[in-house]
Amino acid sequence: SESVDSADVEILLDNPMQEIDGFGACFNELGWTSLSELNSEDRENIIKDLFSKDGMNFSVGRMPLGANDFSRDWYSYNETDKDFEMENFSIANDEETLIPFIKAALAVRPDLRLWASPWCPPTWMKYNKHYACMYQDPETVQENMKQLGISNSITTVNHLTPDQQGAEGADMFIQKPEYLKAYALYFKKFIEAYRSKGIRIEMVAPQNEFNSCQVFPSCIWTAESLSRFVGTYLGPEMQKLGVKILFGTMERKNDLMIDTVMKSEAGKYVSAIGFQWAGKGAIKAVHEKYPELKLVQTESECGDGKNSWDYCFYTWNLMKHYLSNGTSVYMYWNISLEEDGLSHWFWRQNSLVSVDKDTKTYRYTPEYYLMKQFSHFVQPGARRIETSGRYDNLLAFRNPDNSIVVIAANEENFEQPLKVRIGKFILPVNLESRSINTFVIPKK
């Protein structure tokens, strides 16, 4: 047999790392409207492929609590000013899009785990009385659209005035007890309304990207204020319902924000921390400080709508970073979009499925194939395994059935021969140029 030194990589079977809960994506309104352009057979085949164990095998799903940046337009579940008792709460909007989308997935995978987060509360709960945080200049939108090569006539911007803008480091949610209490009730009503439709939400986050001032639905909070909301209002309300709290989503590098939360009354309610975008810079420190705390990658970075192989490699490196630093869940963002990938607020993004509404056809994008290499082969309950050696552009996992999965990338323009040692066994492989590869060693 060959020596350890002759191998380029060794899979350290005795060094199991974090447990993998699964992989998934977000149920956005534009995901459903794009899939609805297809005939029912194609749509059903896509959903079956995404959520069946024989296909993509997605086991986790995210959804917005009210409108997000890939909704059809702004809405909340209650726009009645000062309705603190939530008498006018309604999920009627979701009956048209999110509920049929999620139910289609649940029909394929009944044990799909779901979590939700708001992008923005009802507008009357914010100081600026508007869903956005940043002024959207129509001339800038026109120029951006021109640069993107999109000729759509722009008739809608967010109509936020410059004096309504917010700024990071402040609170846009009204920090009065009656508003905070009503917002916790809003979450409760959401959980109960979805349960009445046969959809159980396992976990909620108090706010998506609480540091980010955006032209689309958004709401900035300070970490201190979110901690108070979770510790005093949301946490106790969700605990009664058996719903977990994910804190986040963290989109900044500052891990001290997590200390603010975990060392407060909110800490006893927090089951997981969610990271996305620049939050990837904080995940290593948080994992080291709180090694037993569940970490979730909550939103894959979204690209530019071109769905290129170059961006697929960028996403590969994101996945490698998050999973190497203790993440138990990796979430893609848009499941499906029309071919231009354009949001209501004029942002083009990537998706797993790209739909041509004119020809009523679809195609899977490069990132679909990347995600499938993980989600199909790495089973819920798998453990990431540490590796060593000269070649480090790979990840390894041991499934619950003891099969070993090695996912390796070659980003160079030449082939890369590789010898991978797994115990006493050497796996010789040849990574083609510009490729991402999955190798499965069955259980003995």
Side-chain angles (χ1 to χ4, degrees):
S1 67
E2 298 182 63
S3 68
V4 172
D5 292 340
S6 69
D8 302 295
V9 180
E10 183 176 10
I11 309 300
L12 305 177
L13 297 175
D14 295 330
N15 288 24
M17 310 301 280
Q18 80 271 20
E19 184 175 343
I20 303 300
D21 290 345
F23 300 87
C26 188
F27 294 96
N28 287 328
E29 282 203 291
L30 295 191
W32 185 247
T33 58
S34 60
L35 290 175
S36 297
E37 297 286 349
L38 303 172
N39 65 54
S40 59
E41 183 179 1
D42 283 344
R43 183 171 62 252
E44 288 167 9
N45 286 339
I46 290 169
I47 297 292
K48 183 177 180 181
D49 180 62
L50 290 170
F51 295 98
S52 71
K53 294 181 181 180
D54 293 333
M56 181 77 90
N57 194 32
F58 276 170
S59 58
V60 187
R62 179 184 183 181
M63 66 167 295
L65 203 161
N68 69 0
D69 50 325
F70 272 72
S71 294
R72 294 174 294 176
D73 201 345
W74 159 250
Y75 73 97
S76 80
Y77 299 130
N78 188 355
E79 283 296 300
T80 304
D81 190 24
K82 296 184 179 178
D83 182 8
F84 296 116
E85 300 303 317
M86 291 294 147
E87 293 179 357
N88 293 290
F89 184 95
S90 172
I91 60 167
N93 179 86
D94 294 7
E95 296 267 19
E96 299 176 13
T97 52
L98 295 176
I99 289 173
F101 199 178
I102 294 168
K103 281 191 170 183
L106 288 171
V108 176
R109 184 158 197 141
D111 63 346
L112 181 68
R113 302 173 68 181
L114 294 165
W115 69 276
S117 65
W119 268 243
C120 183
T123 54
W124 56 272
M125 292 183 167
K126 294 175 67 177
Y127 288 116
N128 73 348
K129 308 301 180 185
H130 197 285
Y131 67 76
C133 179
M134 183 182 294
Y135 171 65
Q136 190 175 33
D137 177 50
E139 291 184 5
T140 302
V141 171
Q142 286 278 13
E143 183 58 33
N144 289 343
M145 297 287 278
K146 184 185 294 184
Q147 291 178 8
L148 290 169
I150 300 170
S151 59
N152 298 32
S153 175
I154 306 302
T155 57
T156 304
V157 291
N158 65 22
H159 301 298
L160 187 80
T161 60
D163 65 314
Q164 288 178 296
Q165 286 198 133
E168 184 172 344
D171 286 301
M172 292 198 80
F173 190 95
I174 298 172
Q175 297 296 308
K176 293 181 180 179
E178 62 267 33
Y179 286 86
L180 294 164
K181 182 180 179 182
Y183 199 31
L185 178 59
Y186 183 83
F187 276 77
K188 177 186 177 183
K189 291 274 192 178
F190 163 76
I191 296 295
E192 291 174 338
Y194 264 77
R195 284 183 181 177
S196 74
K197 303 297 180 183
I199 299 171
R200 296 188 68 84
I201 309 298
E202 177 181 317
M203 186 165 61
V204 295
Q207 174 64 46
N208 178 71
E209 296 185 351
F210 63 91
N211 299 286
S212 295
C213 210
Q214 306 282 20
V215 301
F216 46 75
S218 52
C219 185
I220 51 174
W221 297 65
T222 62
E224 292 81 4
S225 294
L226 270 187
S227 298
R228 183 167 58 254
F229 174 56
V230 171
T232 306
Y233 301 96
L234 184 63
E237 201 69 76
M238 293 298 99
Q239 190 175 66
K240 294 174 192 173
L241 294 168
V243 175
K244 299 175 184 177
I245 301 287
L246 176 148
F247 184 80
T249 56
M250 272 283 293
E251 83 288 30
R252 294 290 181 267
K253 188 178 179 179
N254 186 1
D255 58 280
L256 298 179
M257 292 180 181
I258 302 303
D259 293 339
T260 297
V261 176
M262 298 308 297
K263 293 176 181 179
S264 72
E265 186 70 11
K268 69 181 183 182
Y269 296 107
V270 173
S271 298
I273 306 290
F275 301 85
Q276 59 194 51
W277 291 87
K280 62 181 176 283
I283 193 168
K284 184 176 187 295
V286 173
H287 187 46
E288 290 170 352
K289 287 182 187 179
Y290 306 97
E292 302 305 315
L293 189 61
K294 189 77 71 176
L295 305 181
V296 177
Q297 184 278 349
T298 44
E299 179 186 318
S300 192
E301 295 177 27
C302 58
D304 57 6
K306 295 180 181 178
N307 293 304
S308 67
W309 280 104
D310 283 343
Y311 203 86
C312 182
F313 279 107
Y314 177 78
T315 302
W316 154 260
N317 281 287
L318 286 178
M319 298 186 79
K320 188 173 67 168
H321 171 80
Y322 278 104
L323 291 163
S324 296
N325 284 290
T327 298
S328 295
V329 174
Y330 193 95
M331 306 289 298
Y332 195 77
W333 179 225
N334 287 298
I335 289 176
S336 175
L337 290 175
E338 292 181 12
E339 277 205 334
D340 62 9
L342 191 64
S343 78
H344 180 75
W345 289 273
F346 318 115
W347 190 2
R348 290 183 68 180
Q349 297 190 358
N350 290 357
S351 57
L352 299 174
V353 181
S354 183
V355 174
D356 185 329
K357 70 175 183 178
D358 294 327
T359 61
K360 307 297 181 185
T361 59
Y362 69 93
R363 64 183 175 89
Y364 290 126
T365 68
E367 287 171 280
Y368 162 89
Y369 295 102
L370 169 62
M371 287 295 297
K372 194 168 188 176
Q373 292 198 58
F374 284 88
S375 59
H376 178 78
F377 294 104
V378 181
Q379 304 300 311
R383 298 289 292 269
R384 185 174 69 84
I385 309 171
E386 195 173 357
T387 66
S388 67
R390 72 160 188 87
Y391 198 83
D392 63 358
N393 203 9
L394 79 172
L395 290 163
F397 306 86
R398 187 202 289 267
N399 279 323
D401 66 0
N402 285 323
S403 61
I404 305 298
V405 179
V406 179
I407 306 174
N410 177 14
E411 298 179 60
E412 305 296 340
N413 291 317
F414 50 82
E415 292 184 352
Q416 174 70 61
L418 208 60
K419 292 181 180 179
V420 181
R421 175 174 287 279
I422 305 168
K424 296 181 179 179
F425 173 70
I426 289 255
L427 174 69
V429 298
N430 191 54
L431 307 181
E432 293 187 10
S433 64
R434 303 287 290 169
S435 68
I436 302 169
N437 311 263
T438 300
F439 307 99
V440 180
I441 297 86
K443 63 181 179 180
K444 293 185 178 179

